[in-house]
Amino acid sequence: MPVLLVVTALVAWATPCARRAYPIAERRAMRTGTIVLFAYLIYPTITSHMFSLWRCTKLRSTSGAYVELNIFVVDPETSCDSTTHLWWKYGLGIPGIVVYVLGLPGAGYVLLRKFRHKLHEPRTRTRLGFLYDGFRPEHYMYELWVAARKVFVILVTTFSDKKLQVLLVMGIIAFFLVHTVLLRPYQTGILTSLDTLLLACCFLTLWMGGVFVVYPNCQDPNDDGRIFCL
């Protein structure tokens, strides 16, 4: 999909209509900006799909002999111990993590670092403005922290035990909440308040959801299933 989106952007900005509407220099800048936008939007989905190649669940069967099956969540017909799954995991998963999960933020870092003295220029804003618009000049790379926030949450939801997921994600959200409040990377107080409110809402949602992790169906199993949180 990322390759397809890049090709789509290249083809779209090479059409006769685009050539007539914009000069070549401006067209190149807007083409780069389109690719950056596509990569930014698809990054969380690609990251989730790459890590999902490691998602397995164990099924137990007590009919006859005791059997425990390690099933691939994405394709339940595939065993996580099979050669097919190993090919997918190491043939696609590892390269995908290197190229996309680490490569896209790495490329963003290199480009922002390269043009750090030209961030105010119109052509640079057209190319890369989606990555740093709204941030103060000294925090122009803060979008990398936002990407790290997404990656950490995906990692926890993919690899951690279900009972620990809420606590671990709460810790991640709390860290980035404090980080945002202390750093205040946005140009205006309104943007900082919005991001802080967003993280606070996520934290409160996870905190309330944690009750149902400890007490499924809102019942105390040690008290004859008494419903206590109505």
Side-chain angles (χ1 to χ4, degrees):
M1 183 58 70
V3 175
L4 179 61
L5 290 176
V6 170
V7 172
T8 301
L10 294 176
V11 172
W13 286 106
T15 59
C17 182
R19 290 180 178 179
R20 290 193 299 268
Y22 301 97
I24 183 170
E26 186 175 353
R27 191 169 70 249
R28 289 176 177 174
M30 298 179 73
R31 179 180 62 194
T32 303
T34 303
I35 295 173
V36 170
L37 173 62
F38 283 162
Y40 178 87
L41 294 178
I42 202 174
Y43 180 74
T45 303
I46 289 295
T47 302
S48 178
H49 283 306
M50 290 297 102
F51 287 128
S52 69
L53 293 174
W54 276 264
R55 293 188 63 185
C56 298
T57 185
K58 292 184 178 181
L59 300 179
R60 296 178 179 178
S61 173
T62 57
S63 58
Y66 178 83
V67 179
E68 187 177 82
L69 299 176
N70 199 17
I71 299 300
F72 185 33
V73 174
V74 177
D75 182 12
E77 295 183 357
T78 301
S79 171
C80 285
D81 301 322
S82 65
T83 305
T84 301
H85 180 254
L86 292 177
W87 274 106
W88 278 105
K89 187 165 61 174
Y90 295 110
L92 177 64
I94 297 299
I97 290 174
V98 173
V99 174
Y100 295 124
V101 180
L102 300 178
L104 290 179
Y109 172 83
V110 171
L111 289 174
L112 288 174
R113 184 75 179 172
K114 178 180 179 180
F115 293 99
R116 65 186 182 278
H117 300 301
K118 301 179 180 180
L119 299 180
H120 61 281
E121 296 182 1
R123 195 159 295 168
T124 304
R125 297 182 67 90
T126 302
R127 290 192 182 101
L128 306 173
F130 199 83
L131 298 178
Y132 65 87
D133 274 343
F135 300 121
R136 290 190 290 173
E138 62 269 27
H139 298 300
Y140 66 97
M141 286 194 181
Y142 188 77
E143 194 62 48
L144 296 178
W145 285 100
V146 178
R149 181 195 311 174
K150 299 174 183 177
V151 171
F152 287 143
V153 171
I154 293 172
L155 279 172
V156 168
T157 56
T158 301
F159 294 105
S160 67
D161 182 78
K162 291 182 179 179
K163 294 183 179 180
L164 286 176
Q165 284 182 6
V166 174
L167 291 176
L168 293 176
V169 175
M170 283 179 63
I172 294 171
I173 297 300
F175 170 80
F176 283 103
L177 175 59
V178 174
H179 182 264
T180 301
V181 172
L182 294 179
L183 199 64
R184 302 186 68 84
Y186 296 94
Q187 291 180 352
T188 63
I190 295 178
L191 291 177
T192 301
S193 299
L194 285 174
D195 197 20
T196 303
L197 181 61
L198 169 65
L199 293 171
C201 289
C202 291
F203 183 87
L204 291 175
T205 302
L206 291 165
W207 174 70
M208 290 184 289
V211 175
F212 296 96
V213 174
V214 178
Y215 296 102
N217 302 320
C218 205
Q219 295 179 347
D220 187 353
N222 298 321
D223 194 10
D224 299 326
R226 178 172 61 88
I227 299 177
F228 67 95
C229 53
L230 292 178

